[in-house]
Amino acid sequence: MSRTALRICPLCEATCGLTLTLGDGVVTGARGDREDVFSRGFICPKGAAFGALDSDPDRLTGPLVRRDGRLREATWEEAFDAIAAAVPAQVQEYGPQSVGVVLGNPNVHTMAGALYPPLLLKSLGTRNLFTASTLDQMPKHVSSGLLFGDPFAIPVPDLDRCDFLLLLGANPVESNGSLCTAPDFPGRLKALRARGGTLVVVDPRRTRTAALADRHLAPRPGSDALLLAALAHTLIEEKLADPGALEEHCDDIGELGVALGSFTPEAVAPACDLTAAEIRTLARELAAAPTAAVYARIGSCTVEFGTLASWLVDVLNILTGNLDRPGGALFPLSATAPAGRPAGPGKGFALGRWSSRVSGHPEVKGELPMAALAEEIETRGDGRIRVLLAIAANPVLSAPDGDRLDRALAGLDFMVSIDPYLNETSRHAHVVLPPPPPSQSAHFDFAFNGFAVRNQVRYSPAALPPADGRMDECEIHARLILAVSGLHGAPPEAVDERVIADSLARAVTDPRSPLHGGDPQELARLLTGSTGPERRLDLMLRTGPYDLTLDDLRQAPHGIDLGPLQPRLPGVLKTRSGRIELLPDPIAAELPRLRGALADRPAALVLVGRRHLRSNNSWLHNVPALTGGSNRCTLQVHPQDADRLGLVDGGQARVTADGGSLEVPVEVTDAIRSGVVSLPHGWGHDRAGSRLSVAAAAPGVNVNQLLDGTRMDRLSGTAVLNGFPVELTPLP
Ligand SMILES: Nc1nc2c(c(=O)[nH]1)N[C@H]1C(S)=C(S)[C@@H](COP(=O)(O)OP(=O)(O)OC[C@H]3O[C@@H](n4cnc5c(=O)[nH]c(N)nc54)[C@H](O)[C@@H]3O)O[C@H]1N2
Ligand SMILES: Nc1nc2c(c(=O)[nH]1)N[C@H]1C(S)=C(S)[C@@H](COP(=O)(O)OP(=O)(O)OC[C@H]3O[C@@H](n4cnc5c(=O)[nH]c(N)nc54)[C@H](O)[C@@H]3O)O[C@H]1N2
Ligand code: SF4
Ligand SMILES: [Mo]
């Protein structure tokens, strides 16, 4: 007999509520949950393919352990024994820095990935942490850290109420949004226009999002910081800046005009390949709109001046008075955020507290650049990474120069992957620990509730019981922590109970906590979860801002709406001054380099990425329902460029850049501007030793092979993945 279960979709940041149909221990169907308080029935093709992905026959069903050079099926006990035998001894001999940790994107989509990595890092004591953030949103963390004192204080556009949305370097109609959790992003954009609002999209490609816009500007890639600086300059110069009530929270407003002095629309126009008039008009419209939000993502982050662009986005929101006001850009307040702290000076945000060993890249938010991982493994000497723990990460495809990383991983003394697949990265592991499919895992969005356009909270218990021989991913993490820290064999619950005891000890002595003055033991007994992670969630809800418990969430399976976003200044500020530091020193020090870019002679041809609705980074190409059709790894080229270079639609071309060259199928289309070509990432599934039968049949090429890892946004250590120079030659 079939039954249904509700499950938040973990496949992208939109966090849609799904209704799964279950039959005989498998998911047989998925549709949007119409009663979901946030997504109200919205679903995309990936969510609809939940069942196919969940029961992909290539998913690993149990751990693998390398013996005599080959990965073989093993028991969980053997797997953790192997880790306990290898890692503590390595740490003993070579020190904690000899262990590197790589955290990939799906960690923000699992409870395990949210709850355990901080403990793992603490128990290891290593500073060699590399995450997908330095291939992604790290510039935004840095700009928020500097402006607001908290790298996680990221304002999100108030999509449902704003009158004017300036959207740069994002394509939410395909990606479904990022750092702006909004189920049915496309519908929300249409609603914005239907209520008389204006949408302006800035993207070198005429994307499906651009097609929804009132206006589409297609500047030269990599020039967003210049464009945004000119917008800010114009607001100041034309006396259109009106921060209003924000003024009392801001330092350095006066100095901004001087700092941005050289970035006139006329000066930046050639570098952006826009006209000065277009830029001035946009600035005036932004200022004139009753409410407006500027929002930028991947295309503005993973470029040379990603941090400056991210900073300027919020500068514009501040100069127009739109930060922290309804209809503008607001700070969400999630149900598991720690209870409010009083306004006033905080600890601030520091960059570069230590540096990477080989190239001296400054630490950012406790991380080193993913683009520097290979050299940290390869380069001999004290502190070399010899052991790697890769959790939900596929850097061989997602980071620059996968071939080099591939060789580096092959040379490790020991590697562990927590991954459902044997893929380009995990095939190098000595131990692979596969989590169960998502239907067998509980879900809570610790990360995305903090970036959502509406405050709300939802919990999904596991839809199906664990299949035979399956271990919950939270338990895998807990056991890994014990195994690497010499506590192999201790009960995994001990990890959670320790966290709970520590958190309670802090809460009862914190006058701002709702649990202040309580008895820790008694409070621990009140926690209702049936597993460690559930009890930890319950505790976080109880110490959070909404007076909620896990039971409340269980009784509201479609979620609890906590209302529209509210102004939160000055409470969110944690800068040393207790104010918004509008022109922080590291930013001011970077502006001369941006000024230098005004005179740069742009390359004739640069490459940008793109995302397809039916794909997701590197790991969704093994589901037949999602691959094929237009979801393919082609090089998009504008007709003029194709003519000039002698390329034809359906033909082959060689693309060459700093890092190497690739042979790719050409797709001629006027949906991309001339001087720019586009190749998606996450492809290149042709490495031996992977177990991805569908993906291997249409492998595509790995765009990141074109990069050697030296191009970075200096302030954040984020790899430049967009707007790098390439050359094209036709192939017969
Ligand atoms: N050129 C170029 N490169 C890019 C980008 C780009 O735009 N252009 N985008 C970048 C961005 S934004 C990101 S976030 C990174 C992503 O980089 P990664 O995080 O390295 O890549 P993913 O493809 O998301 O794959 C993560 C791994 O997680 C595994 N996985 C899936 N589900 C689970 C799970 O539930 N648990 C565990 N433990 N593992 C799981 C998958 O099998 C896969 O091996 O790529 C970046 N790389
Ligand atoms: N379907 C699907 N959804 C996804 C993912 C996926 O792989 N597939 N990945 C998920 C992840 S990890 C993330 S981080 C998000 C990302 O979500 P988005 O930020 O919306 O990502 P993209 O769709 O890559 O959009 C980036 C856009 O920037 C444009 N661009 C490139 N260079 C520049 C530039 O210099 N300036 C400007 N203004 N634009 C530029 C590109 O043409 C592209 O359209 O998506 C998430 N959702
Ligand atoms: S939009 Fe994202 S969260 Fe919603 S169904 Fe699609 S993949 Fe899942
Ligand atoms: Mo990402």
Side-chain angles (χ1 to χ4, degrees), residues 279-638:
I279 301 173
R280 285 194 187 273
T281 305
L282 186 54
R284 289 169 194 156
E285 287 174 341
L286 197 57
T291 62
V294 184
Y295 162 73
R297 269 308 274 125
I298 283 291
S300 306
C301 277
T302 53
V303 288
E304 188 184 354
F305 295 106
T307 301
L308 289 184
S310 298
W311 164 71
L312 284 159
V313 163
D314 288 326
V315 166
L316 286 170
N317 285 328
I318 290 167
L319 290 179
T320 53
N322 281 302
L323 185 80
D324 202 43
R325 104 172 158 194
L330 292 131
F331 300 96
L333 182 61
S334 93
T336 51
R341 48 186 290 284
K347 285 197 191 132
F349 177 73
L351 289 162
R353 292 162 299 171
W354 59 85
S355 304
S356 72
R357 179 180 66 102
V358 179
S359 293
H361 296 297
E363 150 287 329
V364 178
K365 212 162 96 8
E367 300 182 22
L368 299 172
M370 190 75 110
L373 173 61
E375 69 182 21
E376 292 296 330
I377 300 174
E378 277 177 348
T379 313
R380 295 187 175 279
D382 247 16
R384 172 163 84 91
I385 296 175
R386 293 161 175 276
V387 172
L388 196 71
L389 312 178
I391 306 179
N394 192 7
V396 170
L397 293 191
S398 44
D401 200 349
D403 285 349
R404 181 177 180 193
L405 205 46
D406 204 43
R407 290 190 300 273
L409 297 183
L412 285 164
D413 291 353
F414 194 75
M415 175 173 164
V416 179
S417 274
I418 304 185
D419 206 287
Y421 287 105
L422 192 59
N423 64 14
E424 298 77 14
T425 296
S426 61
R427 74 200 177 102
H428 290 293
H430 295 76
V431 178
V432 184
L433 306 168
S439 61
Q440 296 171 29
S441 311
H443 189 75
F444 184 85
D445 280 298
F446 287 101
F448 300 123
N449 290 341
F451 303 122
V453 296
R454 202 170 164 92
N455 292 318
Q456 44 70 43
V457 61
R458 293 162 298 162
Y459 176 63
S460 320
L464 289 166
D468 273 356
R470 282 296 192 180
M471 184 180 283
D472 188 79
E473 186 163 2
C474 290
E475 186 179 337
I476 296 177
H477 278 248
R479 286 190 188 271
L480 176 67
I481 291 169
L482 295 170
V484 300
S485 44
L487 298 168
H488 181 44
E493 305 79 53
V495 174
D496 298 306
E497 292 314 317
R498 177 73 197 276
V499 176
I500 290 170
D502 289 352
S503 313
L504 280 172
R506 273 197 309 274
V508 297
T509 56
D510 180 353
R512 297 178 310 254
S513 168
L515 305 184
H516 180 237
D519 170 35
Q521 262 119 48
E522 209 164 289
L523 288 165
R525 274 193 296 277
L526 277 180
L527 300 178
T528 55
S530 57
T531 61
E534 279 195 343
R535 287 161 54 76
R536 287 174 67 186
L537 170 57
D538 192 23
L539 176 55
M540 289 164 83
L541 292 166
R542 287 170 193 262
T543 50
Y546 296 101
D547 190 23
L548 287 166
T549 66
L550 183 63
D551 274 342
D552 296 329
L553 270 51
R554 284 187 186 285
Q555 279 157 31
H558 305 283
I560 300 173
D561 182 42
L562 300 168
L565 305 186
Q566 303 288 340
R568 291 189 58 207
L569 285 175
V572 281
L573 301 178
K574 294 182 186 168
T575 49
R576 282 173 187 270
S577 58
R579 295 159 64 78
I580 299 175
E581 297 180 0
L582 206 50
L583 187 59
D585 291 340
I587 296 275
E590 189 73 350
L591 284 172
R593 281 198 341 113
L594 184 64
R595 224 165 274 134
L598 286 171
D600 280 355
R601 288 253 312 281
L605 207 55
V606 296
L607 187 143
V608 300
R610 69 176 186 270
R611 282 173 161 77
H612 192 282
L613 182 58
R614 291 171 170 272
S615 181
N616 187 34
N617 296 333
S618 75
W619 68 281
L620 243 58
H621 301 144
N622 209 53
V623 180
L626 295 175
T627 49
S630 52
N631 178 15
R632 285 181 52 242
C633 186
T634 56
L635 184 78
Q636 295 184 335
V637 184
H638 186 271

Side-chain angles (χ1 to χ4, degrees), residues 586-726:
I587 296 275
E590 189 73 350
L591 284 172
R593 281 198 341 113
L594 184 64
R595 224 165 274 134
L598 286 171
D600 280 355
R601 288 253 312 281
L605 207 55
V606 296
L607 187 143
V608 300
R610 69 176 186 270
R611 282 173 161 77
H612 192 282
L613 182 58
R614 291 171 170 272
S615 181
N616 187 34
N617 296 333
S618 75
W619 68 281
L620 243 58
H621 301 144
N622 209 53
V623 180
L626 295 175
T627 49
S630 52
N631 178 15
R632 285 181 52 242
C633 186
T634 56
L635 184 78
Q636 295 184 335
V637 184
H638 186 271
Q640 275 171 15
D641 292 322
D643 281 352
R644 181 168 56 85
L645 297 162
L647 299 167
V648 291
D649 189 57
Q652 290 279 120
R654 180 185 305 283
V655 199
T656 307
D658 316 338
S661 77
L662 296 171
E663 288 180 20
V664 288
V666 172
E667 179 188 342
V668 177
T669 166
D670 66 359
I672 190 155
R673 54 157 287 163
S674 64
V676 183
V677 294
S678 168
L679 191 61
H681 72 286
W683 296 87
H685 305 291
D686 49 3
R687 290 176 200 263
S690 305
R691 194 181 301 167
L692 297 163
S693 46
V694 176
V701 295
N702 177 10
V703 64
N704 288 323
Q705 207 47 56
L706 296 172
L707 293 161
D708 62 10
T710 53
R711 289 177 189 269
M712 269 182 210
D713 167 41
R714 243 180 33 146
L715 281 176
S716 69
T718 303
V720 172
L721 304 170
N722 276 290
F724 58 89
V726 292

Side-chain angles (χ1 to χ4, degrees), residues 11-13 46 105 109 135-137 167-178 202-205 207 217 219-224 295-300 303 607-618 678 681 722-723:
L11 299 177
C12 89
E13 299 183 33
K46 287 202 294 285
N105 169 274
H109 297 276
L135 306 169
D136 186 347
Q137 83 290 0
L167 185 152
L168 305 98
N171 185 13
V173 174
E174 304 271 6
S175 70
N176 275 304
S178 179
V202 179
D203 196 306
R205 299 185 307 119
T207 59
L217 300 178
R220 190 168 275 138
S223 66
D224 288 25
Y295 162 73
R297 269 308 274 125
I298 283 291
S300 306
V303 288
L607 187 143
V608 300
R610 69 176 186 270
R611 282 173 161 77
H612 192 282
L613 182 58
R614 291 171 170 272
S615 181
N616 187 34
N617 296 333
S618 75
S678 168
H681 72 286
N722 276 290

